[in-house]
Amino acid sequence: MENSDAIRLLIFITVLVGCAFWEYRSPRKERTRTRQLRWSNNLGLVGLNSILLATVMPLLAIDAAYLAQQNNIGLFNQFDAIRQSELALWLLTPLCVVLLDGAIYFQHLLFHRVPFLWRLHRMHHSDRDIDVTTGARFHPIEIILSMLIKITLILLLGIPPIAVLLFEVILNASAMFNHSNGFLPLSLDRTLRKWIVTPDFHRVHHSVIAKETHSNFGFFLSIWDQLFGTYQAQPEKGHQDVVIGIPQFSNPKEQRLDKMLTQPFRDSDT
């Protein structure tokens, strides 16, 4: 997996372009802000986060997986049958993807429950529209904390590199998909949301109504919300009229990169 970075970048660009085209051809909800302001700053944040991770983190998730594999670190690396059998590795991979997705669900829940973490995470929610670019709009401090949590879990469990790569690809692609402002036929949405998070499923989570904001925490699999009682099927006002964002950051200037970076340290758009 020497080309893992190139693989992830290629899939990121493919999903981004595909979802953007879907939103353009078949939008689900009318926009309240121009794409130019939001997209330039949301994607600028993606670039900033990538540079920051590469600069300040001694190793990333995939590096931690290689470290664990090479030094027999973590639970799964204690079993010779797993380390020596290609079949066992491929059977373990989907289990690890599910475990990592469950961890992201609980991490997301934690970022809503703990006040300091919520101040970081609410920058993601302050987008007044949600679309494919919102799926990558996270504060740099949250990105670093999230990476540290993933690395810790990877080292504790000894998750194989192939599982980490697969999970990161799925996580990034599903985040862009479920934040997309594209219309899915309602019958298809009802079927898909039994297993995965759809745009209509996740749009509830970005409502300004508190009980809706603090529901539907899943990123890829929808089963976690259904299992742990955090699932809400539809927004109270319907998908066309649901108000998106964080009320105290309603000023259009709050969509600028400099303003987004300081939101965790302010209480309003002053």
Side-chain angles (χ1 to χ4, degrees), residues 108-123:
H108 194 181
L109 188 68
L110 190 67
F111 270 77
H112 276 251
R113 296 286 191 263
V114 177
F116 167 70
L117 297 178
W118 168 243
R119 292 180 75 91
L120 294 172
H121 183 63
R122 73 184 180 185
M123 189 273 283

Side-chain angles (χ1 to χ4, degrees), residues 43-138:
L43 294 176
L45 186 61
V46 174
L48 175 63
N49 285 337
S50 298
I51 293 170
L52 188 63
L53 279 177
T55 302
V56 306
M57 294 294 292
L59 74 166
L60 301 179
I62 192 74
D63 303 313
Y66 278 118
L67 179 68
Q69 183 184 66
Q70 292 165 3
N71 295 278
N72 295 334
I73 298 171
L75 176 64
F76 297 135
N77 286 320
Q78 305 312 306
F79 299 95
D80 290 338
I82 293 175
R83 291 191 291 109
Q84 297 174 9
S85 168
E86 187 172 329
L87 175 60
L89 174 64
W90 284 104
L91 291 174
L92 177 63
T93 295
L95 171 63
C96 288
V97 170
V98 172
L99 289 175
L100 285 168
D101 190 64
I104 291 296
Y105 165 84
F106 285 110
Q107 173 191 308
H108 194 181
L109 188 68
L110 190 67
F111 270 77
H112 276 251
R113 296 286 191 263
V114 177
F116 167 70
L117 297 178
W118 168 243
R119 292 180 75 91
L120 294 172
H121 183 63
R122 73 184 180 185
M123 189 273 283
H124 173 70
H125 283 262
S126 69
D127 206 344
R128 295 306 304 275
D129 294 311
I130 57 170
D131 63 21
V132 61
T133 66
T134 312
R137 171 188 165 126
F138 294 95

Side-chain angles (χ1 to χ4, degrees), residues 21-37:
F21 181 73
W22 176 33
E23 293 175 342
Y24 174 75
R25 291 298 302 269
S26 184
R28 176 65 162 115
K29 178 175 168 55
E30 186 176 348
R31 290 183 291 108
T32 66
R33 299 289 188 271
T34 64
R35 286 193 184 94
Q36 182 178 0
L37 174 65

Side-chain angles (χ1 to χ4, degrees), residues 108-109 112-113 118 121 125 202-217 229-232 234-237 242-248:
H108 194 181
L109 188 68
H112 276 251
R113 296 286 191 263
W118 168 243
H121 183 63
H125 283 262
H202 194 71
R203 190 173 297 104
V204 177
H205 181 72
H206 282 262
S207 164
V208 297
I209 299 174
K211 69 177 182 179
E212 296 179 356
T213 305
H214 304 301
S215 68
N216 295 13
F217 295 102
T230 53
Y231 172 59
Q232 179 157 329
Q234 304 294 337
E236 182 180 293
K237 294 184 178 181
V242 60
V243 179
I244 302 297
I246 298 291
Q248 64 262 44

